[in-house]
Amino acid sequence: MRQALLAVVLLLPQGNRRADPFAPARLRATVSFLASDEMRGRGTGSPEGKMAAEWIAERFEKIGLEPANNGSFFHEFRFGGKECRNVAGILRAPPPAREFVVVGAHHDHLGGIGKTIYPGVDDNASGVAGVLALAEHFAARKKGLKRHMVFVSYDAEEKGLIGSKRFVGHGVIAIDKTVFMLVFDLIGGVFLPGQEQRVYALGSEHSKAVRAVLEQHRKAEALEAIPLGTYLIEPVGPAFARSDYSAYRAKHVPYLFMTAATPWYYHTPFDRPERLDYEKASRTLGIARAILADIVTSTKPLDFVAKPAGEVQDARDLVRMIESVLERQKELRISERRAGTLRAHVERLAKLTATDELGGRGKRACQMAIMDLLRVARSYRPPGWKR
Ligand SMILES: [Zn+2]
């Protein structure tokens, strides 16, 4: 096993300073390694999960990050009777910098269930590849930083966002000096045909400053990052958050959660390297890089809005999304019944777009619409798909 693993490591592009860290081929190499057979789906607290963490720590070191946890790249904790480990490295800005910006993604996935392995490429080798690429990019620009940058790969996300909760809870870095966090989960996939040029950025409803930066950089060639309210993916409330922004939000740290959402292969054994659009992943990271560059080369304060109002643009974006799905009713093999439900959503949401802000009912209507879109995505299969 070890030899095979080494062979894969040798195939990866190494230490070439001139190589573009965001090149689609490099992103593909990273996710293919993390999703290789030897990694067995990186189950939380498994030997393979541990191996993935070690590999990420080695990459951090090669890139030139310093260990973020008292001389170690690892932040270890026990969960469910297992040893788990977050990996964290820091890029120190020159004095007098005091504040931190955190960039993270989780590396654990579902592991093997019976004989079936869940490789977890989109979820979330894609996000880890993004963290590594950004670390490499900013390491070469360290002297221009005005805020320290912390790059984190979380463990035990799949068990209830445990890694990020412990990371924040144990004070690995000073949370009161953390001014922004960015998290990737599932970047580079295509949620549904028609959504190729879209990625979603949730969380900017909590900060006017973050929204302004996002608005400035939301387009990268044809790709667009659509700002959405986080409540949309939390129909049961914030206690059931969907990714690692949750612990930071609870501490009032402004954040962005970038994701291309959950396509049909989400949490199935078919979440494999060939499913991703690496150009899209690369462009998504281009947007993230521009946003981060603004924030880490400035000391301008970022506000936090604890209880944001529901924004009408959420309803507007959902209408656009549902209409594009309905245009492809045949291709997506959507039943008449479901199409009827979707049309009813459009009608309801269109009325909301005439108001100033979404109240509780409006937000609920948007959540219901998203749930139906997720249902459409879950039952979709690409043309010619065979198990
Ligand atoms: Zn997952």
Side-chain angles (χ1 to χ4, degrees), residues 60 66-69 72-74 86-90 150-153 167:
F60 277 0
E66 291 170 39
N69 189 26
S72 172
F73 281 110
F74 300 112
N86 295 322
V87 190
I90 184 163
V150 184
F151 296 87
V152 193
S153 188
F167 188 79

Side-chain angles (χ1 to χ4, degrees), residues 86-198:
N86 295 322
V87 190
I90 184 163
L91 267 183
R92 283 199 188 280
R98 296 172 53 103
E99 294 172 333
F100 297 91
V101 166
V102 178
V103 182
H106 74 89
H107 61 259
D108 69 307
H109 191 56
L110 306 175
I113 300 174
K115 278 191 182 155
T116 309
I117 292 176
Y118 289 68
V121 168
D122 202 353
D123 184 12
N124 185 28
S126 70
V128 175
V131 170
L132 288 167
L134 286 163
E136 193 174 324
H137 172 83
F138 283 103
R141 289 156 184 83
K142 201 168 109 171
K143 286 192 189 120
L145 299 183
K146 294 217 168 95
R147 286 169 166 149
H148 307 303
M149 294 186 83
V150 184
F151 296 87
V152 193
S153 188
Y154 303 104
D155 202 351
E157 189 268 358
E158 299 287 3
K159 302 290 181 200
L161 317 176
I162 307 299
S164 52
K165 282 179 189 163
R166 300 282 171 93
F167 188 79
V168 170
H170 293 178
V172 179
I173 55 157
I175 198 72
D176 57 324
K177 291 194 179 66
T178 303
V179 296
F180 178 64
M181 81 84 77
L182 180 67
V183 58
F184 301 117
D185 212 344
L186 293 123
I187 53 166
V190 176
F191 175 52
L192 272 171
Q195 302 296 312
E196 291 82 358
Q197 315 286 19
R198 283 182 181 176

Side-chain angles (χ1 to χ4, degrees), residues 278-289:
Y278 295 93
E279 292 282 348
K280 182 179 184 181
S282 178
R283 282 200 285 271
T284 301
L285 294 171
I287 294 175
R289 172 184 63 201

Side-chain angles (χ1 to χ4, degrees), residues 87-359:
V87 190
I90 184 163
L91 267 183
R92 283 199 188 280
R98 296 172 53 103
E99 294 172 333
F100 297 91
V101 166
V102 178
V103 182
H106 74 89
H107 61 259
D108 69 307
H109 191 56
L110 306 175
I113 300 174
K115 278 191 182 155
T116 309
I117 292 176
Y118 289 68
V121 168
D122 202 353
D123 184 12
N124 185 28
S126 70
V128 175
V131 170
L132 288 167
L134 286 163
E136 193 174 324
H137 172 83
F138 283 103
R141 289 156 184 83
K142 201 168 109 171
K143 286 192 189 120
L145 299 183
K146 294 217 168 95
R147 286 169 166 149
H148 307 303
M149 294 186 83
V150 184
F151 296 87
V152 193
S153 188
Y154 303 104
D155 202 351
E157 189 268 358
E158 299 287 3
K159 302 290 181 200
L161 317 176
I162 307 299
S164 52
K165 282 179 189 163
R166 300 282 171 93
F167 188 79
V168 170
H170 293 178
V172 179
I173 55 157
I175 198 72
D176 57 324
K177 291 194 179 66
T178 303
V179 296
F180 178 64
M181 81 84 77
L182 180 67
V183 58
F184 301 117
D185 212 344
L186 293 123
I187 53 166
V190 176
F191 175 52
L192 272 171
Q195 302 296 312
E196 291 82 358
Q197 315 286 19
R198 283 182 181 176
V199 62
Y200 311 99
L202 293 83
S204 69
E205 72 277 17
H206 283 287
S207 170
K208 290 190 174 62
V210 171
R211 172 65 59 86
V213 178
L214 171 61
E215 286 297 343
Q216 213 178 328
H217 301 293
R218 63 190 271 179
K219 283 189 180 163
E221 293 166 57
L223 184 75
E224 192 172 3
I226 312 283
L228 289 176
T230 315
Y231 73 91
L232 287 169
I233 56 164
E234 296 177 346
V236 210
F240 293 88
R242 296 294 303 275
S243 195
D244 292 311
Y245 56 84
S246 174
Y248 293 84
R249 176 178 62 187
K251 296 283 185 188
H252 290 191
V253 175
Y255 67 93
L256 275 182
F257 167 35
M258 292 188 81
T259 181
T262 51
W264 64 271
Y265 53 77
Y266 169 70
H267 280 201
T268 76
F270 311 112
D271 182 2
R272 300 183 53 83
E274 61 272 23
R275 301 256 73 92
L276 286 202
D277 177 343
Y278 295 93
E279 292 282 348
K280 182 179 184 181
S282 178
R283 282 200 285 271
T284 301
L285 294 171
I287 294 175
R289 172 184 63 201
I291 290 170
L292 284 168
D294 275 11
I295 294 176
V296 298
T297 59
S298 155
T299 51
K300 221 172 103 186
L302 299 158
D303 60 311
F304 185 85
V305 179
K307 289 208 164 71
E311 295 178 68
V312 173
Q313 69 170 31
D314 286 342
R316 226 171 269 138
D317 283 319
L318 279 170
V319 167
R320 266 204 296 169
M321 225 187 288
I322 298 173
E323 279 174 345
S324 112
V325 163
L326 282 169
E327 276 165 26
R328 292 170 173 78
Q329 185 184 345
K330 264 223 184 94
E331 181 192 348
L332 301 178
R333 275 174 279 166
I334 298 171
S335 69
E336 246 333 289
R337 194 161 151 246
R338 181 154 286 165
T341 313
L342 292 175
R343 271 185 228 111
H345 282 307
V346 169
E347 224 170 277
R348 206 168 308 135
L349 297 178
K351 274 185 207 139
L352 293 172
T353 58
T355 57
D356 291 337
E357 65 174 57
L358 304 178

